[in-house]
């Protein structure tokens, strides 16, 4: 990424951050705030269509009602917030590919930086590399200063800050996958008081489905695509015993807090854990 491109990216992030924290109420913004790879882009696309407001992705937004999508730990001043949640183990798999493989949305700078920190012999060997990647994901922000546009917190930090918050619309990626239209209706009602009709909700869900956007069936992987695989439970295909132990060390309590596990017994590898969950549904972001 050139100096000019990087400067424009940071300016965009600064403007968007100011709007989200200072003007979300006066401007009538709807803020999709997530830990990366939790389905936020998908939610933003559908909400933009349902609420008939723009969703300015990766460009300077106009001062008008719109969907704002970002990754913010500090809740100061934020109104009309939707927080998408996703099993942190699945997040790690998607985050691995986001950080280490370039895709069509121009993440080359992110990949270059991550590969400098993580010089793996074979980046396609996810199972072998994942323990080190998980460690890096939970500790890098504590040992290095990153620029304004970088995320400065871990998945566990985000859970502990946002999950207990009131007056926030929470949505689970897995619930969206099971019944996209019904969840979309609920989100629209909580945010705006408007009742989205079931037929319109189904139409929007189909328009932004994984199959429609990616041109592939859910579960068919393309490592070079932002919409890589679009499935729930993919972590079971990649987590070794070492990955389980490291994730549990940093975020085992948060996994239980969100209800993805009842206790820590999942850390012990069991027969059949390699079988991933359902792969039907819609895209993760």
């Amino acid at each position: 990424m050139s100096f000019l491109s990087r400067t424009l990216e940071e300016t965009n992030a600064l403007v968007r951050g100011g709007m989200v924290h200072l003007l979300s109420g006066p401007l009538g913004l709807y803020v999709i705030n997530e830990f990366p790879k939790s389905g936020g882009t998908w939610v933003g696309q559908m909400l933009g269509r349902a609420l008939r407001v723009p969703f300015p992705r990766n460009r300077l937004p106009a001062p008008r009602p719109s969907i704002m999508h970002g990754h913010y730990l500090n809740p100061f001043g934020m109104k009309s917030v939707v927080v998408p949640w996703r099993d942190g183990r699945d997040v790690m798999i998607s985050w691995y590919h986001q950080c280490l493989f370039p895709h069509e949305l121009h993440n080359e700078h992110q990949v270059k930086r991550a590969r400098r920190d993580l010089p793996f012999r074979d980046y396609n060997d996810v199972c072998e590399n994942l323990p080190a990647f998980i460690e890096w994901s939970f500790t890098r922000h504590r040992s290095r200063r990153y620029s304004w546009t970088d995320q400065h917190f871990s998945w566990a930090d985000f859970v502990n800050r946002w999950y207990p918050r009131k007056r926030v619309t929470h949505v689970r990626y897995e619930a969206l996958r099971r019944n996209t239209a019904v969840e979309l209706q609920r989100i629209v009602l909580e945010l705006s008081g408007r009742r989205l009709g079931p037929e319109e909700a189904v139409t929007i869900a189909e328009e932004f489905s994984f199959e429609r956007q990616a041109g592939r069936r859910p579960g068919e992987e393309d490592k070079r695509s932002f919409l890589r695989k679009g499935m729930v439970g993919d972590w079971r295909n990649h987590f070794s015993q070492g990955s389980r132990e490291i994730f549990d060390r940093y975020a085992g309590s948060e996994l239980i807090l969100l209800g993805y596990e009842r206790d820590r017994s999942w850390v012990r590898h069991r027969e059949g854990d390699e079988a991933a969950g359902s792969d039907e549904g819609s895209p993760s972001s």
Side-chain angles (χ1 to χ4, degrees):
M1 179 181 292
S2 68
F3 174 77
L4 177 60
S5 297
R6 186 64 174 168
T7 300
L8 290 174
E9 179 183 312
E10 296 205 8
T11 300
N12 185 15
L14 183 62
V15 171
R16 295 171 73 90
M19 290 176 67
V20 164
H21 290 295
L22 301 176
L23 299 172
S24 60
L27 290 179
L29 304 178
Y30 301 96
V31 182
I32 312 299
N33 186 40
E34 62 162 346
F35 189 86
K37 311 309 293 183
S38 299
T41 298
W42 179 29
V43 173
Q45 290 172 321
M46 293 192 292
L47 271 183
R49 183 72 80 244
L51 297 173
R52 297 178 175 81
V53 297
F55 177 29
R57 291 178 64 193
N58 305 315
R59 67 179 189 272
L60 284 171
R64 54 170 293 189
S66 56
I67 305 294
M68 300 290 285
H69 170 240
H71 316 294
Y72 303 103
L73 187 63
N74 186 353
F76 172 76
M78 294 169 63
K79 308 294 184 183
S80 300
V81 181
V82 179
V83 181
W85 296 105
R86 188 183 186 189
D87 187 321
R89 297 162 296 189
D90 275 341
V91 169
M92 286 297 109
I93 303 303
S94 290
W95 188 228
Y96 176 95
H97 289 86
Q98 169 70 26
C99 289
L100 296 171
F101 290 90
H103 56 60
E104 72 278 11
L105 297 187
H106 306 296
N107 64 329
E108 293 87 356
H109 180 78
Q110 181 181 34
V111 172
K112 180 179 179 180
R113 186 178 58 223
R115 288 197 175 197
R116 183 176 62 238
D117 288 353
L118 298 166
F120 297 137
R121 183 180 61 83
D122 179 6
Y123 290 100
N124 287 299
D125 193 346
V126 181
C127 292
E128 176 67 24
N129 302 333
L130 197 56
F133 177 81
I134 294 172
E135 182 90 29
W136 176 81
S137 296
F138 280 99
T139 60
R140 69 186 182 105
H141 59 290
R142 295 171 184 163
S143 60
R144 178 177 298 183
R145 182 176 179 177
Y146 285 79
S147 73
W148 167 262
T149 57
D150 290 311
Q151 164 213 327
H152 290 69
F153 50 88
S154 71
W155 184 78
D157 294 331
F158 188 81
V159 172
N160 287 313
R161 180 65 63 88
W162 280 96
Y163 188 66
R165 291 197 66 78
K166 308 298 182 184
R167 294 188 294 277
V168 170
T169 297
H170 298 276
V171 60
R172 291 179 184 263
Y173 174 75
E174 296 81 8
L176 274 169
R177 288 287 312 281
R178 285 193 297 271
N179 201 330
T180 308
V182 169
E183 282 296 291
L184 179 60
Q185 288 177 288
R186 178 183 65 82
I187 297 169
V188 169
L189 182 62
E190 289 188 19
L191 276 181
S192 68
R194 173 191 164 194
R195 293 188 179 277
L196 183 67
E199 291 186 3
E200 184 179 2
V202 169
T203 298
I204 294 171
E206 291 176 349
E207 177 183 358
F208 294 104
S209 68
F210 181 90
E211 192 168 49
R212 179 73 63 86
Q213 295 199 76
R216 289 173 278 118
R217 295 182 61 184
E220 294 179 1
E221 184 177 40
D222 181 354
K223 290 179 180 290
R224 303 285 173 169
S225 173
F226 179 71
L227 301 179
R228 179 185 61 89
K229 200 170 185 179
M231 65 181 295
V232 171
D234 195 30
W235 71 270
R236 295 186 179 89
N237 292 322
H238 302 288
F239 266 54
S240 64
Q241 184 61 39
S243 294
R244 291 167 183 256
E245 292 172 359
I246 292 173
F247 186 91
D248 179 65
R249 183 196 313 159
Y250 288 107
S253 296
E254 288 72 23
L255 200 64
I256 295 171
L257 176 64
L258 289 180
Y260 287 108
E261 295 290 347
R262 288 178 294 181
D263 53 41
R264 284 187 152 93
S265 62
W266 73 273
V267 180
R268 298 189 299 274
H269 182 80
R270 297 183 295 272
E271 287 295 325
D273 277 359
E274 292 81 1
S278 168
D279 61 358
E280 66 179 41
S282 300
S284 64
S285 73

